[in-house]
Amino acid sequence: MANPSSKHNQTQHWRALDAAHHIHPFSDTAALNKEGVRVITRAEGIYLWDSDGNRMLDGMSGLWCVQVGYGNKELAQAGCEALNTLPYYNHFFKTSNPYTVELAAKLASLLPEGHSRVLFANSGSEANDSALKLIRYYWNLRGMREKKIHLSREYAYHGVTMAAASLSGLTPMHPQWDLPLPGFEKVPGPYWYGARQAGYGDIGADEFGVKIANKLEEKILALGPERVASFSAEPVQGAGGLIFPPDSYWPAVAEICAKYDVLLHLDEVITGFGRLGEWFGAQAYGISPDIMTMAKGLSSGYQPISAISLGARMGEAIANAGEELVHGYTYSGHPVASAVALKNLEVIERDGLVGRVRDGIGPYLQRRMREVLADHPLVGEVRGRGLLCAIELVADKKERRFFPNPGDIGTHCRNYCFASGLIMRAIRDTMVCAPPLTITEREVDEMIGLAKAAIDRTARDCGKM
Ligand code: PXG
C-alpha cells in the first residue's frame, strides 16, 4: 500500500497540473485553483474514491447518469469488444454498424408509442440542439415557415450550446454569452411548493398545475399560434430544483399543445432510463411527445452518447422528405458508445432495474426520506418519485418562506455533506439526490443518515435546532 505522504504528493501534482492547464465547467476558475480540486481516481457501486483514499457515497449518480452503478464489468467488456472490433466508423457514407442499428431498434422497443425512429448525438446539449433543428425542419417541410418560436420554462435546464442554453430557463446561464438567441420565450414551471411565496396564496396542487399550464396557453396566444413551433420541457425539472408537476399539469399542457399545433418536445435527459420507475418520464406521466431527447442514463454515463427520437408525425415527415437531411456529427452513433449503451439497456432490462425503482427501492427511498426528514425544523418539504428526491430547506416551515439569499444555506449544507463523505447537489436551498438504480436498502439508509447529519449541523448553525 502506498504511504500517505506519497499519496499526498501525487494529489498535489495533479492539483497543480489542473490549476495550470484545465478550465472547469460551471466553476470560478481562480477560486477553484486557489482551493484546489478533488481528484477522483476510482469508483465502484455507489461509491467514489479520491486520490487521498477518501471514500464518498455518490448520491447523484455522477451527474444524474450512472443508472447501473460504477464498475459494471459487462459494460466495460462491451466497450472493449467494440474498441477491438470497430473502434470507429461513421454513418455518413451509406454505412451503418451493428451496434448502432441494434441500439436504435432496442430504443424503439422501449420508447413511447410512435417513436420508432432515432438519431444519435453525443451529449444532452447536442441532442436538444438537434431537436430544435428538427422541429424547424418539420415545420418548413409542412410549409409553415412562420412557426419558429421555441417555448420552454423558467428554471429549465436543457444544456449549454447556443440553442440549448437559450432554451434553458436558469437566468444565470445567459448574460455571459448574450443569450437567449431571438425566438426563445419562457413560461413559468409548475413549482407548487413556491406558489405561496410567488403570490398564489394557499392554492391546491391540481388547481396550481392547471393555472401554470394556462400560462402556456396565454403565451401562445400572445405570440400568435402560427408563430410558435414547439414547447420543450423536462417531465420533472431536474437541475432547476427537482420540480415535480402536479397531476393536473401534463394533461393540460398536452391539450394546449394539441389545440394550437405546437410540437411537444420532452427532454428526458434526466428522467429517462428508469429514474422515475418507468423507462421514460413520458410513461410515468402519460405524455405523448412529438419528439424526445435523451442522454445520461442511455449509457449510464460510461460513454458520451445521446439520442433524439421522433414520434409518428415528425418521423414520417422527416424520413419521407425525399431530400438529404443536412445534419449529423462525426461521432453520431459511435460504435463503442453504441455498444456500451446497448449493453446498458440489456442490463437494466435483465436485472429489472426499472421495476425495482417503481416497486421496491424507489418507494423505500421515498418513505424513509419522509420518515426521517419531513418533520425536521429546517425542512419545508420532502418531494420525490422513483429515485429522484428533493429536500427543501426553508427559513419558515409553516409559512413556506425561503431564506433571503437563495443558495447560501444549501451550499452550507452541501459542504457538510461533502465533509462527511456524501455527494448531494444543492440547487439554491434544495438538497437533491438521484442515486444509481442499483442502490440497496442499506445504502439508502446510509445516504439518508449522512444527509440528516448534514442537515442537523446546518440547522444548528442557523439557530433552528
Ligand atoms: N437536458 C437536461 C434535462 C439535463 O439535465 C442536459 C440536457 C444537457 O446535457 P449535457 O450532456 O450536454 O450536459 C442536462 C444536463 C447539475 C447538472 O449540476 C445537470 C446537468 C449537467 C451538468 C450539471 O445538476 N444536466
Side-chain angles (χ1 to χ4, degrees), residues 399-427:
E399 296 297 322
R400 294 190 166 196
R401 199 159 37 76
F402 302 124
F403 283 99
N405 294 316
D408 286 0
I409 291 291
T411 307
H412 197 75
C413 183
R414 199 261 328 264
N415 292 344
Y416 277 140
C417 290
F418 260 119
S420 66
L422 169 66
I423 299 179
M424 269 182 105
R425 277 276 274 114
I427 303 173

PDB file of all heavy atoms in Angstrom, residues 399-427:
ATOM      1  N   GLU A 399     -44.894  28.888   7.162  1.00  0.00           N
ATOM      2  CA  GLU A 399     -45.281  29.900   6.165  1.00  0.00           C
ATOM      3  C   GLU A 399     -44.703  29.614   4.773  1.00  0.00           C
ATOM      4  O   GLU A 399     -44.883  30.396   3.841  1.00  0.00           O
ATOM      5  CB  GLU A 399     -44.801  31.302   6.612  1.00  0.00           C
ATOM      6  CG  GLU A 399     -45.449  31.815   7.887  1.00  0.00           C
ATOM      7  CD  GLU A 399     -46.951  32.006   7.737  1.00  0.00           C
ATOM      8  OE1 GLU A 399     -47.386  32.443   6.658  1.00  0.00           O
ATOM      9  OE2 GLU A 399     -47.679  31.686   8.695  1.00  0.00           O
ATOM     10  N   ARG A 400     -43.954  28.525   4.659  1.00  0.00           N
ATOM     11  CA  ARG A 400     -43.294  28.188   3.382  1.00  0.00           C
ATOM     12  C   ARG A 400     -42.442  29.356   2.881  1.00  0.00           C
ATOM     13  O   ARG A 400     -42.531  29.742   1.709  1.00  0.00           O
ATOM     14  CB  ARG A 400     -44.321  27.855   2.307  1.00  0.00           C
ATOM     15  CG  ARG A 400     -45.097  26.603   2.583  1.00  0.00           C
ATOM     16  CD  ARG A 400     -45.897  26.228   1.360  1.00  0.00           C
ATOM     17  NE  ARG A 400     -46.378  24.854   1.486  1.00  0.00           N
ATOM     18  CZ  ARG A 400     -46.833  24.142   0.478  1.00  0.00           C
ATOM     19  NH1 ARG A 400     -46.876  24.645  -0.719  1.00  0.00           N
ATOM     20  NH2 ARG A 400     -47.233  22.907   0.667  1.00  0.00           N
ATOM     21  N   ARG A 401     -41.663  29.918   3.781  1.00  0.00           N
ATOM     22  CA  ARG A 401     -40.843  31.064   3.411  1.00  0.00           C
ATOM     23  C   ARG A 401     -39.399  30.622   3.208  1.00  0.00           C
ATOM     24  O   ARG A 401     -38.829  29.921   4.035  1.00  0.00           O
ATOM     25  CB  ARG A 401     -40.946  32.156   4.485  1.00  0.00           C
ATOM     26  CG  ARG A 401     -40.517  33.542   3.995  1.00  0.00           C
ATOM     27  CD  ARG A 401     -41.091  34.663   4.875  1.00  0.00           C
ATOM     28  NE  ARG A 401     -41.141  34.335   6.290  1.00  0.00           N
ATOM     29  CZ  ARG A 401     -40.076  34.335   7.103  1.00  0.00           C
ATOM     30  NH1 ARG A 401     -38.885  34.629   6.662  1.00  0.00           N
ATOM     31  NH2 ARG A 401     -40.230  34.030   8.382  1.00  0.00           N
ATOM     32  N   PHE A 402     -38.810  31.069   2.098  1.00  0.00           N
ATOM     33  CA  PHE A 402     -37.435  30.683   1.773  1.00  0.00           C
ATOM     34  C   PHE A 402     -36.445  31.574   2.506  1.00  0.00           C
ATOM     35  O   PHE A 402     -36.800  32.637   3.014  1.00  0.00           O
ATOM     36  CB  PHE A 402     -37.191  30.797   0.262  1.00  0.00           C
ATOM     37  CG  PHE A 402     -38.130  29.952  -0.553  1.00  0.00           C
ATOM     38  CD1 PHE A 402     -38.919  30.511  -1.551  1.00  0.00           C
ATOM     39  CD2 PHE A 402     -38.236  28.592  -0.311  1.00  0.00           C
ATOM     40  CE1 PHE A 402     -39.797  29.735  -2.290  1.00  0.00           C
ATOM     41  CE2 PHE A 402     -39.110  27.803  -1.053  1.00  0.00           C
ATOM     42  CZ  PHE A 402     -39.894  28.377  -2.038  1.00  0.00           C
ATOM     43  N   PHE A 403     -35.178  31.185   2.506  1.00  0.00           N
ATOM     44  CA  PHE A 403     -34.127  32.029   3.068  1.00  0.00           C
ATOM     45  C   PHE A 403     -33.883  33.205   2.111  1.00  0.00           C
ATOM     46  O   PHE A 403     -34.066  33.074   0.896  1.00  0.00           O
ATOM     47  CB  PHE A 403     -32.833  31.226   3.246  1.00  0.00           C
ATOM     48  CG  PHE A 403     -32.882  30.317   4.437  1.00  0.00           C
ATOM     49  CD1 PHE A 403     -33.178  28.962   4.289  1.00  0.00           C
ATOM     50  CD2 PHE A 403     -32.642  30.807   5.718  1.00  0.00           C
ATOM     51  CE1 PHE A 403     -33.241  28.120   5.389  1.00  0.00           C
ATOM     52  CE2 PHE A 403     -32.704  29.969   6.822  1.00  0.00           C
ATOM     53  CZ  PHE A 403     -33.004  28.625   6.656  1.00  0.00           C
ATOM     54  N   PRO A 404     -33.444  34.343   2.663  1.00  0.00           N
ATOM     55  CA  PRO A 404     -33.307  35.542   1.829  1.00  0.00           C
ATOM     56  C   PRO A 404     -32.261  35.429   0.715  1.00  0.00           C
ATOM     57  O   PRO A 404     -32.473  35.946  -0.367  1.00  0.00           O
ATOM     58  CB  PRO A 404     -32.919  36.641   2.827  1.00  0.00           C
ATOM     59  CG  PRO A 404     -32.673  35.983   4.145  1.00  0.00           C
ATOM     60  CD  PRO A 404     -33.220  34.599   4.097  1.00  0.00           C
ATOM     61  N   ASN A 405     -31.149  34.762   0.949  1.00  0.00           N
ATOM     62  CA  ASN A 405     -30.144  34.635  -0.122  1.00  0.00           C
ATOM     63  C   ASN A 405     -30.106  33.206  -0.632  1.00  0.00           C
ATOM     64  O   ASN A 405     -29.339  32.400  -0.130  1.00  0.00           O
ATOM     65  CB  ASN A 405     -28.742  35.020   0.387  1.00  0.00           C
ATOM     66  CG  ASN A 405     -28.667  36.480   0.750  1.00  0.00           C
ATOM     67  OD1 ASN A 405     -29.173  37.327   0.009  1.00  0.00           O
ATOM     68  ND2 ASN A 405     -28.080  36.768   1.894  1.00  0.00           N
ATOM     69  N   PRO A 406     -30.929  32.914  -1.619  1.00  0.00           N
ATOM     70  CA  PRO A 406     -31.029  31.529  -2.090  1.00  0.00           C
ATOM     71  C   PRO A 406     -29.649  30.964  -2.426  1.00  0.00           C
ATOM     72  O   PRO A 406     -28.856  31.621  -3.093  1.00  0.00           O
ATOM     73  CB  PRO A 406     -31.900  31.628  -3.341  1.00  0.00           C
ATOM     74  CG  PRO A 406     -32.597  32.942  -3.253  1.00  0.00           C
ATOM     75  CD  PRO A 406     -31.743  33.838  -2.424  1.00  0.00           C
ATOM     76  N   GLY A 407     -29.373  29.794  -1.931  1.00  0.00           N
ATOM     77  CA  GLY A 407     -28.095  29.141  -2.229  1.00  0.00           C
ATOM     78  C   GLY A 407     -27.144  29.128  -1.054  1.00  0.00           C
ATOM     79  O   GLY A 407     -26.323  28.211  -0.937  1.00  0.00           O
ATOM     80  N   ASP A 408     -27.259  30.109  -0.144  1.00  0.00           N
ATOM     81  CA  ASP A 408     -26.314  30.149   0.979  1.00  0.00           C
ATOM     82  C   ASP A 408     -26.456  28.923   1.877  1.00  0.00           C
ATOM     83  O   ASP A 408     -25.471  28.230   2.164  1.00  0.00           O
ATOM     84  CB  ASP A 408     -26.532  31.417   1.827  1.00  0.00           C
ATOM     85  CG  ASP A 408     -26.003  32.662   1.127  1.00  0.00           C
ATOM     86  OD1 ASP A 408     -25.485  32.513  -0.001  1.00  0.00           O
ATOM     87  OD2 ASP A 408     -26.116  33.764   1.701  1.00  0.00           O
ATOM     88  N   ILE A 409     -27.674  28.673   2.325  1.00  0.00           N
ATOM     89  CA  ILE A 409     -27.895  27.549   3.251  1.00  0.00           C
ATOM     90  C   ILE A 409     -27.670  26.222   2.529  1.00  0.00           C
ATOM     91  O   ILE A 409     -27.077  25.284   3.072  1.00  0.00           O
ATOM     92  CB  ILE A 409     -29.334  27.617   3.826  1.00  0.00           C
ATOM     93  CG1 ILE A 409     -29.443  28.826   4.761  1.00  0.00           C
ATOM     94  CG2 ILE A 409     -29.726  26.341   4.533  1.00  0.00           C
ATOM     95  CD1 ILE A 409     -28.670  28.708   6.052  1.00  0.00           C
ATOM     96  N   GLY A 410     -28.116  26.164   1.289  1.00  0.00           N
ATOM     97  CA  GLY A 410     -27.921  24.941   0.509  1.00  0.00           C
ATOM     98  C   GLY A 410     -26.442  24.609   0.373  1.00  0.00           C
ATOM     99  O   GLY A 410     -26.018  23.468   0.578  1.00  0.00           O
ATOM    100  N   THR A 411     -25.649  25.617   0.037  1.00  0.00           N
ATOM    101  CA  THR A 411     -24.209  25.392  -0.140  1.00  0.00           C
ATOM    102  C   THR A 411     -23.560  24.982   1.186  1.00  0.00           C
ATOM    103  O   THR A 411     -22.706  24.089   1.226  1.00  0.00           O
ATOM    104  CB  THR A 411     -23.533  26.679  -0.675  1.00  0.00           C
ATOM    105  OG1 THR A 411     -24.237  27.077  -1.838  1.00  0.00           O
ATOM    106  CG2 THR A 411     -22.079  26.456  -1.017  1.00  0.00           C
ATOM    107  N   HIS A 412     -23.996  25.630   2.254  1.00  0.00           N
ATOM    108  CA  HIS A 412     -23.506  25.315   3.595  1.00  0.00           C
ATOM    109  C   HIS A 412     -23.757  23.832   3.907  1.00  0.00           C
ATOM    110  O   HIS A 412     -22.869  23.104   4.343  1.00  0.00           O
ATOM    111  CB  HIS A 412     -24.274  26.208   4.573  1.00  0.00           C
ATOM    112  CG  HIS A 412     -23.657  26.333   5.918  1.00  0.00           C
ATOM    113  ND1 HIS A 412     -22.545  27.107   6.154  1.00  0.00           N
ATOM    114  CD2 HIS A 412     -24.005  25.783   7.115  1.00  0.00           C
ATOM    115  CE1 HIS A 412     -22.234  27.038   7.435  1.00  0.00           C
ATOM    116  NE2 HIS A 412     -23.100  26.231   8.038  1.00  0.00           N
ATOM    117  N   CYS A 413     -24.971  23.398   3.637  1.00  0.00           N
ATOM    118  CA  CYS A 413     -25.352  22.005   3.898  1.00  0.00           C
ATOM    119  C   CYS A 413     -24.590  21.055   2.968  1.00  0.00           C
ATOM    120  O   CYS A 413     -24.107  20.012   3.394  1.00  0.00           O
ATOM    121  CB  CYS A 413     -26.863  21.868   3.707  1.00  0.00           C
ATOM    122  SG  CYS A 413     -27.480  20.232   4.082  1.00  0.00           S
ATOM    123  N   ARG A 414     -24.485  21.455   1.703  1.00  0.00           N
ATOM    124  CA  ARG A 414     -23.752  20.639   0.732  1.00  0.00           C
ATOM    125  C   ARG A 414     -22.299  20.442   1.190  1.00  0.00           C
ATOM    126  O   ARG A 414     -21.731  19.353   1.083  1.00  0.00           O
ATOM    127  CB  ARG A 414     -23.808  21.326  -0.628  1.00  0.00           C
ATOM    128  CG  ARG A 414     -23.523  20.472  -1.827  1.00  0.00           C
ATOM    129  CD  ARG A 414     -22.108  20.569  -2.377  1.00  0.00           C
ATOM    130  NE  ARG A 414     -21.453  21.849  -2.236  1.00  0.00           N
ATOM    131  CZ  ARG A 414     -21.411  22.787  -3.161  1.00  0.00           C
ATOM    132  NH1 ARG A 414     -22.051  22.627  -4.294  1.00  0.00           N
ATOM    133  NH2 ARG A 414     -20.727  23.901  -2.959  1.00  0.00           N
ATOM    134  N   ASN A 415     -21.703  21.495   1.757  1.00  0.00           N
ATOM    135  CA  ASN A 415     -20.321  21.375   2.237  1.00  0.00           C
ATOM    136  C   ASN A 415     -20.219  20.386   3.394  1.00  0.00           C
ATOM    137  O   ASN A 415     -19.251  19.620   3.476  1.00  0.00           O
ATOM    138  CB  ASN A 415     -19.777  22.750   2.642  1.00  0.00           C
ATOM    139  CG  ASN A 415     -19.597  23.647   1.431  1.00  0.00           C
ATOM    140  OD1 ASN A 415     -19.593  23.170   0.290  1.00  0.00           O
ATOM    141  ND2 ASN A 415     -19.467  24.947   1.653  1.00  0.00           N
ATOM    142  N   TYR A 416     -21.219  20.401   4.276  1.00  0.00           N
ATOM    143  CA  TYR A 416     -21.228  19.399   5.352  1.00  0.00           C
ATOM    144  C   TYR A 416     -21.374  17.990   4.778  1.00  0.00           C
ATOM    145  O   TYR A 416     -20.770  17.048   5.275  1.00  0.00           O
ATOM    146  CB  TYR A 416     -22.368  19.676   6.342  1.00  0.00           C
ATOM    147  CG  TYR A 416     -22.038  20.712   7.402  1.00  0.00           C
ATOM    148  CD1 TYR A 416     -22.989  21.657   7.793  1.00  0.00           C
ATOM    149  CD2 TYR A 416     -20.794  20.723   8.042  1.00  0.00           C
ATOM    150  CE1 TYR A 416     -22.697  22.602   8.776  1.00  0.00           C
ATOM    151  CE2 TYR A 416     -20.501  21.665   9.023  1.00  0.00           C
ATOM    152  CZ  TYR A 416     -21.457  22.600   9.382  1.00  0.00           C
ATOM    153  OH  TYR A 416     -21.171  23.530  10.350  1.00  0.00           O
ATOM    154  N   CYS A 417     -22.193  17.862   3.749  1.00  0.00           N
ATOM    155  CA  CYS A 417     -22.345  16.541   3.097  1.00  0.00           C
ATOM    156  C   CYS A 417     -20.984  16.074   2.594  1.00  0.00           C
ATOM    157  O   CYS A 417     -20.540  14.958   2.900  1.00  0.00           O
ATOM    158  CB  CYS A 417     -23.317  16.614   1.922  1.00  0.00           C
ATOM    159  SG  CYS A 417     -25.038  16.852   2.378  1.00  0.00           S
ATOM    160  N   PHE A 418     -20.324  16.935   1.831  1.00  0.00           N
ATOM    161  CA  PHE A 418     -19.006  16.592   1.280  1.00  0.00           C
ATOM    162  C   PHE A 418     -18.040  16.185   2.381  1.00  0.00           C
ATOM    163  O   PHE A 418     -17.341  15.180   2.283  1.00  0.00           O
ATOM    164  CB  PHE A 418     -18.418  17.790   0.519  1.00  0.00           C
ATOM    165  CG  PHE A 418     -18.590  17.695  -0.970  1.00  0.00           C
ATOM    166  CD1 PHE A 418     -19.327  18.654  -1.661  1.00  0.00           C
ATOM    167  CD2 PHE A 418     -18.011  16.657  -1.690  1.00  0.00           C
ATOM    168  CE1 PHE A 418     -19.500  18.572  -3.034  1.00  0.00           C
ATOM    169  CE2 PHE A 418     -18.173  16.573  -3.064  1.00  0.00           C
ATOM    170  CZ  PHE A 418     -18.918  17.534  -3.743  1.00  0.00           C
ATOM    171  N   ALA A 419     -18.031  16.982   3.444  1.00  0.00           N
ATOM    172  CA  ALA A 419     -17.073  16.743   4.531  1.00  0.00           C
ATOM    173  C   ALA A 419     -17.316  15.386   5.193  1.00  0.00           C
ATOM    174  O   ALA A 419     -16.390  14.783   5.732  1.00  0.00           O
ATOM    175  CB  ALA A 419     -17.166  17.867   5.550  1.00  0.00           C
ATOM    176  N   SER A 420     -18.568  14.916   5.125  1.00  0.00           N
ATOM    177  CA  SER A 420     -18.839  13.628   5.773  1.00  0.00           C
ATOM    178  C   SER A 420     -18.867  12.475   4.764  1.00  0.00           C
ATOM    179  O   SER A 420     -19.279  11.370   5.087  1.00  0.00           O
ATOM    180  CB  SER A 420     -20.165  13.698   6.532  1.00  0.00           C
ATOM    181  OG  SER A 420     -21.222  13.854   5.613  1.00  0.00           O
ATOM    182  N   GLY A 421     -18.461  12.757   3.529  1.00  0.00           N
ATOM    183  CA  GLY A 421     -18.365  11.671   2.543  1.00  0.00           C
ATOM    184  C   GLY A 421     -19.660  11.378   1.811  1.00  0.00           C
ATOM    185  O   GLY A 421     -19.893  10.253   1.372  1.00  0.00           O
ATOM    186  N   LEU A 422     -20.520  12.385   1.670  1.00  0.00           N
ATOM    187  CA  LEU A 422     -21.760  12.206   0.904  1.00  0.00           C
ATOM    188  C   LEU A 422     -21.805  13.254  -0.195  1.00  0.00           C
ATOM    189  O   LEU A 422     -21.631  14.449   0.063  1.00  0.00           O
ATOM    190  CB  LEU A 422     -22.991  12.394   1.812  1.00  0.00           C
ATOM    191  CG  LEU A 422     -24.339  12.489   1.083  1.00  0.00           C
ATOM    192  CD1 LEU A 422     -24.687  11.171   0.390  1.00  0.00           C
ATOM    193  CD2 LEU A 422     -25.461  12.870   2.054  1.00  0.00           C
ATOM    194  N   ILE A 423     -22.072  12.796  -1.427  1.00  0.00           N
ATOM    195  CA  ILE A 423     -22.253  13.758  -2.513  1.00  0.00           C
ATOM    196  C   ILE A 423     -23.737  13.941  -2.776  1.00  0.00           C
ATOM    197  O   ILE A 423     -24.448  13.004  -3.147  1.00  0.00           O
ATOM    198  CB  ILE A 423     -21.533  13.294  -3.794  1.00  0.00           C
ATOM    199  CG1 ILE A 423     -20.033  13.179  -3.506  1.00  0.00           C
ATOM    200  CG2 ILE A 423     -21.801  14.278  -4.940  1.00  0.00           C
ATOM    201  CD1 ILE A 423     -19.211  12.712  -4.663  1.00  0.00           C
ATOM    202  N   MET A 424     -24.203  15.154  -2.483  1.00  0.00           N
ATOM    203  CA  MET A 424     -25.562  15.571  -2.836  1.00  0.00           C
ATOM    204  C   MET A 424     -25.445  16.917  -3.511  1.00  0.00           C
ATOM    205  O   MET A 424     -24.528  17.674  -3.211  1.00  0.00           O
ATOM    206  CB  MET A 424     -26.432  15.722  -1.576  1.00  0.00           C
ATOM    207  CG  MET A 424     -27.177  14.470  -1.207  1.00  0.00           C
ATOM    208  SD  MET A 424     -28.221  14.744   0.250  1.00  0.00           S
ATOM    209  CE  MET A 424     -29.820  14.842  -0.510  1.00  0.00           C
ATOM    210  N   ARG A 425     -26.366  17.225  -4.419  1.00  0.00           N
ATOM    211  CA  ARG A 425     -26.377  18.541  -5.059  1.00  0.00           C
ATOM    212  C   ARG A 425     -27.193  19.501  -4.202  1.00  0.00           C
ATOM    213  O   ARG A 425     -28.186  19.090  -3.595  1.00  0.00           O
ATOM    214  CB  ARG A 425     -27.063  18.456  -6.434  1.00  0.00           C
ATOM    215  CG  ARG A 425     -26.215  17.996  -7.550  1.00  0.00           C
ATOM    216  CD  ARG A 425     -25.388  19.113  -8.190  1.00  0.00           C
ATOM    217  NE  ARG A 425     -26.118  19.831  -9.227  1.00  0.00           N
ATOM    218  CZ  ARG A 425     -26.486  21.097  -9.162  1.00  0.00           C
ATOM    219  NH1 ARG A 425     -26.254  21.802  -8.091  1.00  0.00           N
ATOM    220  NH2 ARG A 425     -27.111  21.677 -10.174  1.00  0.00           N
ATOM    221  N   ALA A 426     -26.772  20.755  -4.155  1.00  0.00           N
ATOM    222  CA  ALA A 426     -27.624  21.792  -3.578  1.00  0.00           C
ATOM    223  C   ALA A 426     -28.049  22.671  -4.741  1.00  0.00           C
ATOM    224  O   ALA A 426     -27.204  23.202  -5.461  1.00  0.00           O
ATOM    225  CB  ALA A 426     -26.872  22.612  -2.554  1.00  0.00           C
ATOM    226  N   ILE A 427     -29.353  22.774  -4.956  1.00  0.00           N
ATOM    227  CA  ILE A 427     -29.859  23.666  -6.000  1.00  0.00           C
ATOM    228  C   ILE A 427     -30.601  24.774  -5.271  1.00  0.00           C
ATOM    229  O   ILE A 427     -31.615  24.512  -4.630  1.00  0.00           O
ATOM    230  CB  ILE A 427     -30.788  22.927  -6.975  1.00  0.00           C
ATOM    231  CG1 ILE A 427     -30.038  21.743  -7.601  1.00  0.00           C
ATOM    232  CG2 ILE A 427     -31.312  23.889  -8.039  1.00  0.00           C
ATOM    233  CD1 ILE A 427     -30.893  20.843  -8.442  1.00  0.00           C
TER     234      ILE A 427
END
